[in-house]
Structure formats: C-alpha cells, structure tokens
Amino acid sequence: IVMLNHYASTVEMEALCMVDVVKQQIIPAVEEADQDTKALVAAAKSVADKLAKVHHEEDSFKKAALARELRLDVMEAARKVIDAAEAECPANLWPMSTYKELLFLDSHQDAHGNTI
C-alpha cells in the first residue's frame, strides 16, 4: 500500500507541474507567436481532469491504477501536443531550452561555460 500511495503521489506532482508549465509558460509563448492554443488548452484540461479523479480516489489500488492511466495515457497524449507546439513555436519565444540546445549544450558555450 505504501508503494502504491507513493507512486500515485509522485504522478500527482508530475501532473500538477505539467499543468502549471503548460498554463503559465507554454500557452503564453504560443499565443505570443500568434498560433492556435486550443489543443494545448484541451491537453492541460485533460490532465487536470484525470488528476482530479486520482486525487479524490480513496482506495490505494484504484488510485494507483488511475495514476498509471494519467501518467502513461493522458500525460503522454498531452506531451505529444506540447511537442507539436514546440516544433511550430519560434525558438526565441519558447520558454524552455529546445531539444537542440539540450543535446548540443556544449556548442552554445565558450571555453569558460558562458552561453554564447
């Protein structure tokens, strides 16, 4: 039971973070780029809706099962929407490091580690 509760709690925190990042950072960036945000709004809502179901479930096993659906189905679907938005949003407006910047971080730094 302890591990089931721990898993559900971890997924709840991940989902809360995802909803916050989408609402507070990604949607405003995509709006600034004059792009449609309907899919992002719907994705954030689907995560928040499933999260509410997880949060209100009392039975540990059922809660963990709902958390699994939230993490592996709903959040994964939301991630696809977010990735599509990232691909369309200009990099200078995207609020987080791009995959290219993360993969090739050393190519964006001088010999002293300063960003160039």
Side-chain angles (χ1 to χ4, degrees), residues 8 10 12 20 24 39 41 50 55 61-62 66 75 92 96 102 104-105:
T10 300
E12 284 182 277
D20 282 349
Q24 296 175 18
V41 170
K50 190 69 165 189
H55 185 72
F61 182 79
K62 290 178 183 176
L66 287 169
M75 290 174 69
N92 65 312
M96 289 154 279
L102 292 172
F104 303 104
L105 184 61

Side-chain angles (χ1 to χ4, degrees), residues 6-7 13 26-28 31 34 40 45 54 61 65 68 72 76 80 87 92 101 106-107:
H6 177 71
Y7 174 72
M13 287 303 267
I26 296 174
I27 289 173
E31 285 174 339
D34 290 325
L40 288 166
K45 183 179 180 335
V54 173
F61 182 79
R68 181 203 170 282
L72 297 180
E76 188 64 31
K80 288 178 182 176
N92 65 312
E101 291 167 340
D106 57 341
S107 66

Side-chain angles (χ1 to χ4, degrees), residues 11-33:
V11 172
E12 284 182 277
M13 287 303 267
E14 290 175 357
L16 286 167
C17 290
M18 177 182 253
V19 171
D20 282 349
V21 168
V22 171
K23 287 182 175 180
Q24 296 175 18
Q25 296 181 26
I26 296 174
I27 289 173
V30 171
E31 285 174 339
E32 189 175 343

Side-chain angles (χ1 to χ4, degrees), residues 56-75:
H56 293 296
E57 179 57 56
E58 302 261 339
D59 180 83
S60 295
F61 182 79
K62 290 178 183 176
K63 186 178 197 102
L66 287 169
R68 181 203 170 282
E69 292 172 13
L70 171 60
R71 178 66 189 93
L72 297 180
D73 297 333
V74 180
M75 290 174 69

